Amino acid sequence: MTAPALVVRDLSVEITGRDGVTPVLDGVGLELRRGRMHGLVGETGSGKSMTARSVIGLLPPGGRVTAGSVQLGGRELLGLDADELREMRGASIGMVFQNPRTALYPMITIETQMANVLKAHLDLDRRGRAARIRERLRLVGIDDVDRIARSYPHELSGGLAQRAVIATALLCDPDVLIADEPTTGLDATIQRQILELIAFLQSELSLSVLIITHDLGIVAQYCDTVSVMHDGRVVEDGDMRQVLLSPQHDYTGRLIAASDLRGLHAQRVQDARR
């Protein structure tokens, strides 16, 4: 059997602040299978984004991993130095953050930002960088690639900005893409377009995608497997249909009830991945 793309085991994290030490993750574990989409779902504050930040080595000030293991393709990431982590980010793991406005630096063009990523990871000349940038912008559904490449982030709509972020995350052909609430702040139509784009890219590029969300409807429609987080712990995980149709934990059941996935939408959950 092929090894998972990403394995998190017994991950615990604490943050030291003015009020002392606060545990934020307690023994978190999950597996992302190769070429699949895994949902990490839970309410705000459950620890979803902190898990993602722990994986890529970008904990907030005062954050510290106290136990556990994070393996990418069998390579242990915890304990890597700053240079090794920078090399891993972008090259092996692509990251799509919640708000494209904060993910993009406002003072330089999209092309310059993407070129800087390529300079850090790939040995391409100027022409090669320009060609790859435009190819990736086309891949994410942008037609007028020259205009978008020359644009500053504030000149783009939210949907176009998020497409540019996704294109940047895919510049170096990462094995894993982490999408942390990738539709935050977008209207409903654009949200659907971005989710369909991620699903298309996952299939087209055989990507392993970890999508972080509070929306069980997204999990039901797009994910193969799911982990449910509550109070810094994974309380349930497994096959998407099995978890959402036959939850074993009370918290999962409450999430499903609040999302109206039982009743009217139960059949849609069952059929979503047929």
Side-chain angles (χ1 to χ4, degrees):
M1 181 177 294
T2 304
L6 178 70
V7 179
V8 178
R9 286 282 179 266
D10 299 321
L11 181 66
S12 295
V13 173
E14 63 184 22
I15 295 179
T16 302
R18 292 180 179 179
D19 298 326
V21 177
T22 302
V24 290
L25 297 181
D26 182 10
V28 169
L30 62 87
E31 285 191 2
L32 172 59
R33 302 176 192 169
R34 292 190 182 277
R36 299 295 185 91
M37 191 178 300
H38 184 91
L40 185 58
V41 65
E43 297 170 302
T44 299
S46 60
K48 308 183 303 295
S49 293
M50 193 65 65
T51 299
R53 287 184 169 274
S54 300
V55 168
I56 63 175
L58 286 179
L59 287 173
R64 182 173 73 93
V65 174
T66 59
S69 169
V70 176
Q71 293 191 356
L72 177 68
R75 180 190 184 191
E76 180 61 51
L77 301 186
L78 297 184
L80 296 183
D81 62 31
D83 289 338
E84 291 171 321
L85 285 170
R86 276 193 296 270
E87 175 60 30
M88 176 270 297
R89 291 191 294 266
S92 301
I93 296 181
M95 187 77 194
V96 178
F97 293 98
Q98 292 184 23
N99 188 339
R101 302 298 187 193
T102 59
L104 296 168
Y105 187 65
M107 304 302 293
I108 58 177
T109 65
I110 299 300
E111 180 164 27
T112 300
Q113 299 190 49
M114 297 178 76
N116 287 340
V117 173
L118 289 172
K119 289 176 185 177
H121 296 290
L122 296 180
D123 184 19
L124 295 174
D125 61 18
R126 185 174 180 177
R127 180 175 294 182
R129 290 193 297 270
R132 179 171 283 250
I133 287 167
R134 281 153 179 78
E135 185 272 331
R136 284 298 187 256
L137 290 174
R138 291 188 188 94
L139 180 65
V140 299
I142 294 174
D143 295 323
D144 192 356
V145 294
D146 288 327
R147 181 182 67 83
I148 298 303
R150 292 193 300 266
S151 297
Y152 291 87
H154 71 271
E155 297 175 317
L156 303 182
S157 67
L160 277 174
Q162 192 63 298
R163 287 176 188 269
V165 169
I166 295 170
T168 303
L170 297 177
L171 276 171
C172 301
D173 297 321
D175 296 320
V176 170
L177 180 70
I178 299 177
D180 186 2
E181 300 276 9
T183 59
T184 298
L186 303 176
D187 65 42
T189 300
I190 304 302
Q191 286 183 19
R192 177 64 178 242
Q193 291 175 3
I194 294 299
L195 291 168
E196 291 290 339
L197 171 63
I198 292 173
F200 164 76
L201 294 169
Q202 184 267 324
S203 175
E204 184 75 7
L205 304 177
S206 297
L207 275 173
S208 307
V209 178
L210 176 65
I211 188 163
I212 297 169
T213 181
H214 64 274
D215 188 342
L216 278 174
I218 290 174
V219 171
Q221 180 121 15
Y222 296 101
C223 295
D224 302 288
T225 51
V226 61
S227 296
V228 181
M229 287 200 73
H230 180 56
D231 286 342
R233 299 180 176 91
V234 171
V235 297
E236 187 163 3
D237 69 347
D239 175 79
M240 179 274 294
R241 283 181 294 176
Q242 182 177 351
V243 169
L244 296 191
L245 290 174
S246 302
Q248 301 301 302
H249 195 278
D250 289 344
Y251 176 73
T252 307
R254 293 198 300 272
L255 277 183
I256 293 170
S259 301
D260 196 25
L261 287 180
R262 261 191 212 285
L264 291 177
H265 297 299
Q267 190 61 46
R268 183 182 178 189
V269 175
Q270 189 173 23
D271 294 342
R273 297 304 296 183
R274 283 183 179 174

